[in-house]
Amino acid sequence: MPNQLQFETSPYLLQHAENPVNWYPWGEEAFQRAREEDKPVFLSIGYSTCHWCHVMAHESFEDTEIASLLNQYFISIKVDKEERPDIDSIYMSVCQAFTGSGGWPTSIFMTAEQEPFLAGTYFPKKSRGRMIGLRELLLAVHEKWEQDRAALLYQAQEVISQLERQEAIKSRADIELLDSAAAIYEQTYDGKNGGFGRAPKFPSPHNLLFLMTLYEREDNKSCLEMAEHTLMQMYRGGIFDHIGFGFCRYSTDAQFLAPHFEKMLYDNALLILAYSKAYAITKKEVYRRIAEKTADFILREMASPEGGFYSAQDADSDGEEGKYYLFDPEEIIRLLGSKDGEAFNRHFDITSQGNFEGKSIPNLLHSSPENHSCGRVLEQVYQYRKQRLPLHLDDKILTSWNSLMIAALCRLYLVSKNSSYLKAAKQADGFIQKNLCRGNMLFVSFRAGRQGAKGFLDDYAFYLFSQLALYRATLEQGYLERAEKICQEIFTRFQDQEKGGFYLYGTENEPLILRPKETYDGAVPSGNSMMAWNLVHLSQIVPNRNYEYEAERQLNFLAGDAAQYPTGYAMFLLALLDFKEPPPKMTIVLADRGNIEEYPLMFPENMVIRLVGKPSEEFPLKDNQTTFYLCQNHSCLPPVNHFDENAI
């Protein structure tokens, strides 16, 4: 019999709707039942393309013995972390407090009042090595709940008190932080393989965006070298899908060869931003091609017919991680013939001994990425691969991740001048406005005709980021006006007026046991870092002193935490760099409306542009013609009627 998840729209929750575990979605019904039956709550948090979530589900949640224990002694709740980042944030902090680390699936034992007393991540069904099995753990927790509940409740209070005491470290945003961060990147940089630190290696494109921008402003050549080498190694390795394009989640090894095979919308959006930036700075065609390949993958495989973008593709197929992506040389030769097949295998390192569990992940670590000789047969291999195994698609549409992709497509449009990317960005924005907005209020997700929870800080901050990107790509005033309205909504719903920063969940969201402010830039920038960037850029576009005040206040709020670990705050560092060393700014005063579509493409992508519809005392027309006012390096040039790129 299906459990209580059968009425949900989340693909992750629906994956568990047929489990013998009597799962509930997060909500008062589950907690009320826990109170009435005097049972603890078992909370399991994950997402639909999570490999270890699948493993734990197959081993334990589909097992009748484990299900019987959970149903007898616990009330079990499933949460999709992508739809409820507030719950995920709080209980991930709890997991880290208990164990020193975190991850998914997240497993929490707590009271009906949502107070956690034990936490972990993946548990095997039965104990092995030093890992306690879920069966033994459930029995032990039940026994403790019955015989020594006071100890569990004391533990819960201790953890909550510890987390409540965590406050942002007060400081001032100092430009020295930029040099400190650059020095740490150099210390942790892998000069051979690219990337930073040891395996596993995550793309973290915002780190690369910061390094490239620091080079751009301060001519720090080592920053550009680190970023370029990393970008090329990521592309050459197996973390990039050379057959169907797009990037996988992260590399399990140091050389970016063997990925964790799931593909996430947000990674690919941020990587498009990074490769577009690399092309804008270096003018090396390879970076533009990589950005375009990545965008083409998204538009081909991750776009809904209505214009929104789906969330993720699974790592597993036929129950095996990566099976969809692996080849042996014989099947390629059977498909392409001896001559083309052997050339293809040679180019993409597909060998009889293999490089991953006896098979081969296509890669270019031993080939030139500039060699396009296999391009004509690539479509044939792509179509063959597409037919042999199905990949699960998480088809919910998230406001925050769609907003990142909108911004990425806008940036790619500016550097490629290919209007199809701008068209796709506008369509996705239209999808959000139609399905994920009510006035200026945003929702987290949309699937099967239903909206998810009311939006969190990331939804609003990333959506504001997308509106600024659309304004820069089009100079259409409506996007800027929308950005300002959303910014005001963020102040109203999320800002901590007294201590600074923004809460993860707003005044209209469900209250939880804690109200966190996330500052650390993980796989995606935090909402607080993104707000620092947004406020800095709004202050540079809109002549409003309040934005400048709020930008500086937000930078100071983040500075203390960032000083402890600068490389974990790359988006904040970008905002700080743009605040202290502003990019060039062009104010365009129109003599007539004319064709404004040409202006966004006339100027470098890093330039802040403000379009003024009417001349004023501050910005008069020169000779009654459209006039350009350029300011850079804290000084302004005389107004001109014709812009000269060499002036920058």
Side-chain angles (χ1 to χ4, degrees):
M1 289 289 291
N3 55 45
Q4 306 296 320
L5 302 182
Q6 64 181 301
F7 307 110
E8 299 300 305
T9 60
S10 157
Y12 178 61
L13 299 189
L14 290 172
Q15 283 173 350
H16 296 268
E18 301 284 340
N19 290 170
V21 178
N22 187 23
W23 292 112
Y24 282 81
W26 180 279
E28 182 52 32
E29 182 184 357
F31 294 114
Q32 183 60 34
R33 190 173 161 207
R35 284 189 285 272
E36 289 171 356
E37 298 183 15
D38 194 29
K39 290 178 179 178
V41 170
F42 174 66
L43 171 65
S44 177
I45 306 172
Y47 57 103
S48 81
T49 58
C50 163
H51 172 69
W52 285 102
C53 301
H54 298 331
V55 173
M56 192 167 176
H58 296 322
E59 287 179 351
S60 296
F61 303 144
E62 294 170 8
D63 181 82
T64 53
E65 183 186 13
I66 295 295
S68 176
L69 291 173
L70 283 167
N71 295 342
Q72 187 175 355
Y73 298 134
F74 299 86
I75 300 300
S76 300
I77 296 177
K78 263 285 173 197
V79 165
D80 182 338
K81 83 176 189 74
E82 293 164 1
E83 292 206 328
R84 290 302 301 266
D86 53 337
I87 297 169
D88 177 59
S89 174
I90 288 169
Y91 291 103
M92 183 59 71
S93 299
V94 165
C95 186
Q96 289 165 340
F98 272 106
T99 68
S101 62
W104 298 279
T106 312
S107 303
I108 306 288
F109 294 88
M110 64 187 190
T111 70
E113 280 63 52
Q114 306 174 17
E115 297 173 332
F117 55 79
L118 187 65
T121 53
Y122 162 78
F123 294 102
K125 180 189 172 184
K126 294 181 179 177
S127 299
R128 60 172 186 253
R130 295 184 178 182
M131 293 181 75
I132 188 171
L134 186 59
R135 181 183 180 278
E136 289 84 352
L137 184 60
L138 294 175
L139 290 169
V141 170
H142 168 65
E143 183 179 347
K144 193 81 169 174
W145 181 262
E146 294 296 322
Q147 297 179 9
D148 191 8
R149 191 177 305 184
L152 295 180
L153 299 180
Y154 175 78
Q155 201 157 302
Q157 287 303 318
E158 282 291 295
V159 168
I160 292 168
S161 298
Q162 177 188 334
L163 294 172
E164 282 177 335
R165 286 194 297 270
Q166 292 177 358
E167 275 292 333
I169 303 159
K170 289 186 168 46
S171 185
R172 288 195 65 77
D174 202 312
I175 200 162
E176 273 75 34
L177 267 175
L178 305 174
D179 294 330
S180 300
I184 296 169
Y185 282 121
E186 288 205 45
Q187 289 164 17
T188 58
Y189 173 59
D190 181 345
K192 179 183 177 184
N193 300 302
F196 303 89
R198 299 175 182 174
K201 285 183 178 174
F202 291 79
S204 301
H206 29 305
N207 291 339
L208 306 178
L209 282 166
F210 165 68
L211 289 170
M212 289 186 282
T213 307
L214 193 61
Y215 160 76
E216 199 172 40
R217 302 286 160 76
E218 298 186 356
D219 198 30
N220 185 329
K221 290 183 173 57
S222 70
C223 286
L224 182 61
E225 287 165 11
M226 289 188 286
E228 276 205 83
H229 183 47
T230 300
L231 288 166
M232 280 309 303
Q233 290 303 105
M234 286 195 301
Y235 170 64
R236 296 178 75 166
I239 192 174
F240 183 80
D241 175 8
H242 293 276
I243 309 303
F245 307 154
F247 284 86
C248 296
R249 178 72 279 268
Y250 61 85
S251 175
T252 61
D253 56 34
Q255 62 261 43
F256 293 109
L257 171 62
H260 180 45
F261 289 91
E262 63 186 329
K263 289 180 181 173
M264 313 300 291
L265 182 66
Y266 61 80
D267 282 320
N268 285 281
L270 291 165
L271 283 159
I272 290 169
L273 285 170
Y275 283 98
S276 296
K277 184 71 175 176
Y279 172 69
I281 290 173
T282 67
K283 294 296 184 281
K284 293 177 183 175
E285 289 292 326
V286 65
Y287 297 129
R288 181 177 57 78
R289 280 200 304 273
I290 298 166
E292 289 175 339
K293 284 179 177 181
T294 307
D296 292 348
F297 156 71
I298 295 295
L299 296 173
R300 184 177 60 227
E301 295 195 25
M302 302 285 281
S304 75
E306 300 81 17
F309 297 110
Y310 301 132
S311 294
Q313 284 181 341
D314 208 328
D316 294 13
S317 47
D318 278 6
E320 292 182 33
E321 185 184 7
K323 186 175 180 181
Y324 178 82
Y325 294 97
L326 304 176
F327 292 92
D328 59 53
E330 290 75 23
E331 67 179 318
I332 294 294
I333 289 170
R334 281 197 303 272
L335 177 68
L336 300 179
S338 177
K339 183 181 177 185
D340 286 344
E342 286 175 7
F344 192 93
N345 289 336
R346 217 168 24 250
H347 184 62
F348 289 110
D349 190 29
I350 299 169
T351 63
S352 55
Q353 62 268 32
N355 54 34
F356 184 83
E357 298 177 359
K359 295 219 169 186
S360 293
I361 304 165
N363 69 89
L364 296 175
L365 290 169
H366 308 291
S367 304
S368 167
E370 303 291 346
N371 183 348
H372 308 301
S373 60
C374 293
R376 64 185 178 81
V377 295
L378 206 56
E379 180 66 17
Q380 201 174 338
V381 179
Y382 170 72
Q383 293 298 340
Y384 162 77
R385 188 185 73 175
K386 200 170 181 185
Q387 290 165 15
R388 66 180 186 173
L389 290 166
L391 273 184
H392 164 68
L393 175 71
D394 185 329
D395 61 353
K396 69 177 177 294
I397 294 173
L398 295 168
T399 298
S400 58
W401 298 1
N402 271 255
S403 297
L404 289 176
M405 185 53 69
I406 289 167
L409 291 169
C410 287
R411 184 65 58 85
L412 182 54
Y413 161 68
L414 290 176
V415 300
S416 70
K417 299 180 171 50
N418 182 337
S419 61
S420 67
Y421 298 127
L422 179 60
K423 180 182 177 184
K426 286 183 167 185
Q427 284 178 333
D429 183 61
F431 182 94
I432 290 177
Q433 293 204 36
K434 179 182 176 184
N435 299 294
L436 286 153
C437 291
R438 189 184 301 156
N440 294 323
M441 184 172 76
L442 299 173
F443 293 87
V444 173
S445 62
F446 185 84
R447 185 179 182 275
R450 284 164 57 187
Q451 294 167 330
K454 290 178 181 176
F456 300 102
L457 175 62
D458 288 10
D459 299 298
Y460 284 83
F462 292 7
Y463 184 61
L464 171 49
F465 181 61
S466 77
Q467 298 306 290
L468 292 174
L470 281 161
Y471 175 70
R472 174 61 183 84
T474 65
L475 296 180
E476 293 175 19
Q477 197 66 23
Y479 292 120
L480 186 57
E481 291 169 1
R482 182 86 169 137
E484 290 202 77
K485 287 175 183 174
I486 294 296
C487 189
Q488 192 53 54
E489 202 76 17
I490 294 169
F491 288 145
T492 303
R493 290 174 183 267
F494 300 97
Q495 190 172 38
D496 183 342
Q497 298 281 2
E498 183 186 344
K499 295 180 179 176
F502 298 90
Y503 293 109
L504 175 59
Y505 65 83
T507 52
E508 293 198 27
N509 295 103
E510 175 192 356
L512 300 172
I513 57 166
L514 298 168
R515 198 176 180 199
K517 294 178 195 168
E518 291 194 331
T519 59
Y520 177 78
D521 292 342
V524 295
S526 69
N528 270 292
S529 281
M530 191 62 89
M531 278 309 297
W533 191 95
N534 287 336
L535 288 166
V536 167
H537 283 258
L538 266 174
S539 73
Q540 292 167 346
I541 299 169
V542 181
N544 181 335
R545 299 288 302 177
N546 186 54
Y547 289 138
E548 192 171 337
Y549 164 78
E550 292 290 357
E552 189 162 22
R553 185 171 184 237
Q554 181 68 0
L555 289 168
N556 288 336
F557 166 75
L558 288 164
D561 286 351
Q564 308 302 304
Y565 181 53
T567 52
Y569 295 83
M571 200 73 195
F572 155 77
L573 295 171
L574 264 173
L576 178 61
L577 180 57
D578 283 344
F579 189 74
K580 298 291 188 181
E581 299 182 16
K585 176 180 174 181
M586 179 67 73
T587 302
I588 307 171
V589 188
L590 296 176
D592 55 66
R593 290 302 295 170
N595 185 17
I596 66 167
E597 287 93 355
E598 67 188 31
Y599 292 126
L601 296 173
M602 278 175 59
F603 308 108
E605 52 79 42
N606 69 327
M607 182 178 279
V608 173
I609 302 181
R610 179 183 169 214
L611 192 66
V612 179
K614 294 178 181 176
S616 64
E617 192 174 326
E618 184 183 6
F619 294 109
L621 288 174
K622 174 180 165 65
D623 300 331
N624 288 320
Q625 298 177 48
T626 293
T627 306
F628 301 96
Y629 290 81
L630 175 64
C631 296
Q632 60 181 344
N633 301 324
H634 303 284
S635 64
C636 297
L637 299 177
V640 294
N641 296 128
H642 301 285
F643 173 70
D644 178 8
E645 280 191 52
N646 297 322
I648 297 179

